[in-house]
Amino acid sequence: MRVIRLASEIDFAGWRSAARALRAEGVAPEAVVWTVERELFDTAGSPPPAAPSNFTVPAAFLDLAEQVILHRGPDRFALLYRILWRLEREPRLVENPADPDMARARDMAKAVSRAAHKMKAFVRFRLVEGTETETYAAWFEPAHRVTEAVAPFFVRRFTNMDWTILTPDACVAWDGQRLMVSEGADPADAPSEDAQEELWRTYYASIFNPARLNPKQMRQEMPKRYWRNLPEAALIPELIASAQDRAAAMVAAPPRQPSDRVLKASLRHSRDASFGQGAPTTLEEVEAGVQVCRRCALWRDATQGVPGEGAHPAPLMFVGEQPGDQEDLAGRPFVGPAGQMFDKALAEAGAPRDRAFVTNAVKHFRHEVRGKRRIHKTPDRGEVAACRWWLDAERRIVRPRVIVMLGATAALSVIGKPTPIRANRGKAMPLPDQAQGVVTYHPSFLLRIPDAEAKAKAYAEFVEDLRMAGKLAGL
């Protein structure tokens, strides 16, 4: 029986040299006992140098062996030598996922990789009091012997800081110039807390999102064995216990006003973005975006953009054609003569305006100047199509059950095709967004009817349509 004594628990070079020599001598795996009896930094009595050999192994095996050596399993040295022994007759053994030896080695390598990841994630440095140079120290207990292997990661991450990581296996220290390795230490050698931990706990509590809490997943990612070294771990039970109430409060809280930065971004987006990009999600964004809209040329002659206004969400939405002269000056829809007739008809129909949302198909006033007067001109199809982006946004935000289209331009914008008013009024029309559509006259049309009898008849039909719409909306 051959007894091989390695210099340390992670002596990969020693194992490799000894394994090469044993393999060259033809020593079978069952005739070898692997042990670690020397002190960690005692270099005397290293394994004998390897004899010359033409036998080579795949690079993938060496990579795997470097990982497996760091595992705490007592059988790791023998397992690796057994695989090495078999490789001469089974050169593709490393590629066999069903082989028990290879499966065991891969499981060990995965466990080592997880241990290295946890060490990178859960080491918490604390300031060492009473040192001339500001120095930090951390206590950590890795699941496997990964301390020396992970140390270069901390050198790269904390290059300008003096630090020490103490573990039961070994300690690594960095002074800004050199990485030093020493024997393992005791937990009492590391500071148990420092003044910065309260700040860290405050930060952790502020970024904790109760709505995304998944305790099972949380414990998988942050096993309890590491909690005693984590300052934030003391908060976890309370954060979990209060998560449901905090999430409910978040749901019940009213939406906050968008910040100036968000509104400015929305303005730029509304002015410059294509139709294929994201649309506004709040009426405030619609209002801000309409003022800088350049999707058609109507903005050049208008005083301002006129977005919709009213309740939201609202069961009933009224869509007119475009702002008139007074609406253009006031910045509000339906405030001129047509708006006054609209309000009168709404009152007679029993459909209160304050429970509805009132808007227009086109948000800028199209007109031509004659002398001192600005004469209304009907928007063309291109202008209606360009402004439909804003109307669609209002519809998504307000979510009306019934949309009343006041006139042909409104019907073109909502339905997307010419829709005769007289032939379609008085009935509900299903729309793609599950709302019901009702078409009727525009109040301006009623104002322009010269014959009194015809005007009274059309007005009565208008009120009847509004009443029907109100009932459909549940008002």
Side-chain angles (χ1 to χ4, degrees):
M1 183 68 67
R2 297 287 295 274
V3 178
I4 304 298
R5 296 181 174 84
L6 299 178
S8 74
E9 296 281 0
I10 59 172
D11 182 13
F12 176 71
W15 174 87
R16 184 179 182 182
S17 177
R20 186 180 298 165
L22 293 169
R23 187 67 190 84
E25 294 176 25
V27 181
E30 54 271 19
V32 181
V33 174
W34 299 87
T35 185
V36 179
E37 294 185 349
R38 298 184 179 280
E39 296 297 326
L40 180 63
F41 300 100
D42 183 0
T43 57
S46 299
S53 172
N54 294 327
F55 177 57
T56 59
V57 297
F61 171 71
L62 291 178
D63 293 340
L64 180 69
E66 280 189 292
Q67 290 285 98
V68 172
I69 284 288
L70 305 181
H71 197 275
R72 293 191 187 277
D75 60 333
R76 62 192 184 285
F77 299 125
L79 171 67
L80 291 175
Y81 184 62
R82 188 162 61 248
I83 294 174
L84 176 68
W85 177 266
R86 294 175 58 193
L87 277 173
E88 186 168 17
R89 293 185 177 181
E90 304 172 65
R92 306 196 65 175
L93 175 63
V94 176
E95 304 170 14
N96 184 359
D99 183 82
D101 284 343
M102 287 304 304
R104 169 66 175 156
R106 289 198 178 92
D107 287 345
M108 285 182 166
K110 288 179 182 177
V112 168
S113 178
R114 282 196 298 271
H117 171 73
K118 300 300 184 188
M119 185 170 180
K120 294 174 183 176
F122 297 137
V123 162
R124 297 288 186 270
F125 289 107
R126 295 180 170 103
L127 182 65
V128 180
E129 300 289 347
T131 56
E132 293 184 3
T133 304
E134 190 174 75
T135 303
Y136 292 83
W139 171 257
F140 191 76
E141 298 174 43
H144 297 284
R145 296 182 176 90
V146 297
T147 304
E148 292 96 323
V150 176
F153 164 82
F154 290 98
V155 171
R156 293 190 298 272
R157 188 166 187 180
F158 303 104
T159 302
N160 299 322
M161 187 175 91
D162 289 6
W163 52 260
T164 300
I165 301 176
L166 301 94
T167 79
D169 307 312
C171 300
V172 290
W174 172 252
D175 63 0
Q177 300 292 329
R178 296 176 302 156
L179 180 66
M180 295 159 281
V181 181
S182 58
E183 296 182 44
D186 187 86
D189 297 332
S192 57
E193 61 181 5
D194 68 13
Q196 298 184 21
E197 292 188 359
E198 188 59 33
L199 179 64
W200 168 248
R201 281 191 285 267
T202 301
Y203 169 75
Y204 183 82
S206 68
I207 64 171
F208 180 81
N209 186 348
R212 300 184 64 182
L213 175 64
N214 183 335
K216 182 179 179 181
Q217 184 69 25
M218 184 179 187
R219 291 189 179 95
Q220 287 180 350
E221 296 297 325
M222 187 187 290
K224 274 195 167 183
R225 67 190 302 269
Y226 300 113
W227 284 22
R228 61 177 175 272
N229 298 318
L230 302 177
E232 67 271 26
L235 302 175
I236 293 176
E238 181 183 350
L239 291 174
I240 293 176
S242 62
Q244 189 170 1
D245 291 341
R246 290 180 60 193
M250 290 168 61
V251 172
R256 290 182 297 180
Q257 188 73 12
S259 67
D260 290 343
R261 181 181 60 80
V262 172
L263 286 177
K264 288 179 181 177
S266 177
L267 288 173
R268 290 195 300 273
H269 182 84
S270 301
R271 185 188 62 204
D272 304 329
S274 70
F275 283 100
Q277 294 178 291
T281 56
T282 67
L283 291 178
E284 289 78 9
E285 290 179 1
V286 172
E287 181 178 0
V290 163
Q291 302 307 326
V292 293
C293 180
R294 302 293 185 266
R295 295 179 184 276
C296 72
L298 291 182
W299 65 274
R300 297 179 186 279
D301 299 322
T303 303
Q304 59 190 313
V306 182
E309 67 175 21
H312 68 91
L316 188 57
M317 172 182 276
F318 293 98
V319 181
E321 182 190 76
Q322 65 163 349
D325 183 75
Q326 295 192 28
E327 286 83 4
D328 173 73
L329 297 173
R332 298 181 57 208
F334 286 89
V335 296
Q340 294 170 16
M341 173 169 281
F342 175 61
D343 288 343
K344 177 173 177 288
L346 278 178
E348 294 183 23
R353 179 167 169 166
D354 60 359
R355 296 188 60 188
F357 188 85
V358 181
T359 188
N360 283 300
V362 174
K363 310 303 184 189
H364 285 102
F365 179 33
R366 188 186 190 206
H367 61 278
E368 62 180 12
V369 179
R370 296 179 189 172
K372 295 183 179 180
R373 298 181 60 198
R374 300 194 299 175
I375 306 301
H376 163 276
K377 290 187 68 175
T378 301
D380 62 29
R381 290 177 66 97
E383 292 158 348
V384 172
C387 218
R388 187 175 181 180
W389 195 72
W390 297 112
L391 179 62
D392 286 347
E394 290 175 327
R395 289 173 63 180
R396 285 194 301 272
I397 298 166
V398 176
R399 303 195 303 276
R401 290 198 291 270
V402 178
I403 300 177
V404 181
M405 294 157 271
L406 304 173
T409 300
L412 174 64
S413 179
V414 173
I415 300 176
K417 63 181 181 181
T419 305
I421 302 302
R422 192 175 298 278
N424 291 283
R425 58 157 295 276
K427 58 186 178 185
M429 307 169 63
L431 300 174
D433 59 358
Q434 309 303 316
Q436 296 289 324
V438 174
V439 296
T440 187
Y441 309 116
H442 193 283
S444 296
F445 167 75
L446 302 177
L447 291 173
R448 294 195 298 270
I449 297 176
D451 182 77
E453 183 178 353
K455 187 173 187 175
K457 180 175 181 296
Y459 178 78
E461 293 174 342
F462 181 59
V463 173
E464 180 184 342
D465 291 338
L466 298 185
R467 185 178 293 114
M468 181 190 73
K471 290 181 179 178
L472 285 174
L475 298 178

